[in-house]
Amino acid sequence: MIGRITGILAAKQPPQVLVDCNGVGYEIDVPMSTFYNLPVLGEKISLLTHLAIREDAHLLYGFGSEIERAAFRELLKVSGIGAKTALSVLSGLSVNDLSAAIAAQEIGRIVKVPGIGKKTAERLLLELKGKPVFAG
């Protein structure tokens, strides 16, 4: 498992960044919350990562904080939520806002996220309620 990537920010095109690590460029998808906090091109960067291995691809997802990565991993456990949707959730809501929505069982905030319908939002609220990463 690749847990962290540290290198030089070589390119950034939402939602993907390219991090050069000693001549090897890693393409990493990041939520917009991480993207907005990136340094300028050519600067050193360190991202916590989640590696997803599928039949047709090996995909890296990067995060600026441990809480963001933990929230992403919990979102992946929800039935019907894949990596792209989990990134979309974290791009549309901060972890604190998502935690508040889960605690209040506020479906309205969740369905505003692109790619999340009412049934998926209900399932997300139900399955994530009480999870330590979202406990405020």
Side-chain angles (χ1 to χ4, degrees):
M1 179 70 92
I2 299 172
R4 183 182 69 206
I5 297 283
T6 300
I8 303 300
L9 184 60
K12 53 184 180 178
Q13 180 70 33
Q16 194 172 77
V17 299
L18 180 67
V19 179
D20 184 311
C21 300
N22 297 319
V24 177
Y26 291 92
E27 293 178 344
I28 306 170
D29 286 346
V30 298
M32 293 311 292
S33 51
T34 295
F35 192 88
Y36 292 139
N37 291 312
L38 291 173
V40 298
L41 295 180
E43 294 286 317
K44 186 174 181 178
I45 185 173
S46 188
L47 294 171
L48 296 167
T49 59
H50 175 86
L51 175 63
I53 299 176
R54 300 187 329 208
E55 186 177 310
D56 61 342
H58 290 200
L59 303 167
L60 266 177
Y61 299 94
F63 307 92
S65 68
E66 179 59 46
I67 191 73
E68 237 180 9
R69 179 173 68 176
F72 177 81
R73 288 176 170 169
E74 286 298 327
L75 284 163
L76 290 179
K77 294 176 186 176
V78 175
S79 177
I81 303 265
K84 295 280 186 207
T85 304
L87 272 188
S88 184
V89 170
L90 292 176
S91 291
L93 295 168
S94 70
V95 175
N96 287 339
D97 289 343
L98 180 57
S99 296
I102 292 167
Q105 293 293 287
E106 197 175 340
I107 195 168
R109 290 172 88 175
I110 307 295
V111 296
K112 288 181 182 175
V113 174
I116 300 285
K118 186 174 185 244
K119 286 186 180 185
T120 302
E122 289 170 346
R123 194 167 40 253
L124 186 149
L125 290 174
L126 178 68
E127 293 184 31
L128 295 180
K129 187 173 176 84
K131 297 288 182 181
V133 72
F134 298 112

